[in-house]
């Protein structure tokens, strides 16, 4: 996998990474990901299109592993993440795509996915994302137990470094929640800074 340092982190200390521009298949939405059906629909669409692109690339001799699911999260009040007020969250779920994937390959993957799944979310797209400098840490455990780590980042680490927010909170889901017990879930928590 390219950019391995972006997909691993310490569980103890926040580390700084410089994230280059990367291509992602993305879908936007809002609300609690556990209760709004749009979130499940978005994730299903992302995997459908990402695997269709992978199989098309493999047929051309460019096989790759589909990267993990990622999400950007934001709210008018960043402390809503610490308080876990999920109904106040906005999100973009996304899966990275290799540099060689172009718009035509993406569009060709959308058609069979739509035939298989039905109508896909209107915000489904392939586009670059430039995150730049960020702090990240590996969280092991339930998603709802991230609050103290985020509080430490927002209230201690960033102010102690003289840094502030420079984009939405970013999570990278290294574990499949359907197959992993909640206490063992691995999630990279990343915050762009300036």
């Amino acid at each position: 996998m390219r950019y391995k340092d972006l997909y691993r982190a310490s569980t103890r200390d926040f580390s700084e990474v410089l994230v280059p521009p990367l291509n992602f298949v993305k879908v936007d939405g809002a609300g609690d990901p556990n209760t709004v059906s749009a979130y499940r629909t978005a994730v299903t669409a992302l995997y459908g299109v990402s695997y269709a692109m992978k199989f098309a690339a493999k047929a051309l001799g460019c096989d790759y592993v589909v990267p993990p699911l990622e999400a950007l999260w934001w709210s008018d009040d960043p402390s809503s993440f610490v308080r876990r007020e999920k109904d106040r969250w906005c999100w973009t779920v996304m899966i990275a795509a290799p540099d060689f994937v172009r718009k035509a390959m993406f569009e060709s993957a959308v058609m069979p996915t739509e035939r298989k799944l039905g109508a896909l979310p209107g915000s489904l797209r392939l586009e670059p994302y430039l995150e730049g400098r960020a702090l990240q840490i590996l969280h092991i455990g339930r998603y709802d137990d991230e609050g103290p780590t985020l509080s430490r980042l927002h209230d201690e680490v960033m102010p102690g470094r003289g840094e502030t927010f420079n984009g939405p909170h970013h999570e990278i889901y290294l574990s499949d929640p359907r197959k992993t017990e909640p206490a063992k879930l691995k999630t990279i928590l990343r915050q762009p800074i300036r």
Side-chain angles (χ1 to χ4, degrees):
M1 173 190 290
R2 243 178 122 192
Y3 307 118
K4 288 182 182 180
D5 60 319
L6 302 179
Y7 291 90
R8 61 178 173 219
S10 165
T11 56
R12 286 178 287 188
D13 298 316
F14 285 90
S15 58
E16 184 171 328
V17 292
L18 182 59
V19 186
L22 299 171
N23 287 324
F24 287 91
V25 180
K26 300 178 180 178
V27 176
D28 302 322
D32 185 337
N34 298 308
T35 60
V36 295
S37 62
Y39 186 84
R40 286 184 298 284
T41 300
V43 171
T44 301
L46 287 177
Y47 277 112
V49 169
S50 294
Y51 275 98
M53 290 188 319
K54 171 195 169 51
F55 296 134
K58 186 175 181 178
L60 299 172
C62 298
D63 196 14
Y64 66 95
V65 174
V66 172
L69 181 70
E70 304 184 36
L72 304 176
W73 301 92
W74 68 95
S75 175
D76 291 337
D77 177 8
S79 65
S80 70
F81 293 104
V82 174
R83 293 190 304 272
R84 311 310 286 168
E85 297 170 338
K86 298 176 185 180
D87 58 323
R88 299 180 67 187
W89 299 355
C90 298
W91 41 264
T92 297
V93 286
M94 55 195 202
I95 295 178
D99 294 340
F100 62 78
V101 171
R102 299 286 183 249
K103 189 173 182 177
M105 183 181 280
F106 166 75
E107 290 172 350
S108 294
V110 168
M111 291 182 283
T113 305
E114 197 157 36
R115 281 195 300 273
K116 182 178 179 182
L117 301 176
L120 299 176
S123 64
L124 178 68
R125 65 203 182 277
L126 173 71
E127 70 179 13
Y129 180 59
L130 175 57
E131 199 160 30
R133 288 178 53 235
L135 294 174
Q136 68 181 28
I137 195 167
L138 178 63
H139 171 77
I140 299 178
R142 296 168 9 105
Y143 303 133
D144 283 336
D145 294 339
E146 296 172 0
T149 303
L150 295 175
S151 181
R152 183 168 62 115
L153 173 65
H154 298 173
D155 301 335
E156 298 172 27
V157 176
M158 288 170 54
R161 293 172 49 110
E163 309 283 3
T164 190
F165 298 92
N166 193 31
H169 171 70
H170 186 166
E171 295 191 355
I172 303 168
Y173 306 103
L174 302 178
S175 305
D176 183 341
R178 299 167 302 169
K179 301 174 183 177
T180 308
E181 60 182 271
K184 295 182 179 177
L185 290 169
K186 293 182 179 178
T187 308
I188 291 181
L189 308 179
R190 181 184 293 162
Q191 179 58 57
I193 55 171
R194 60 179 163 85

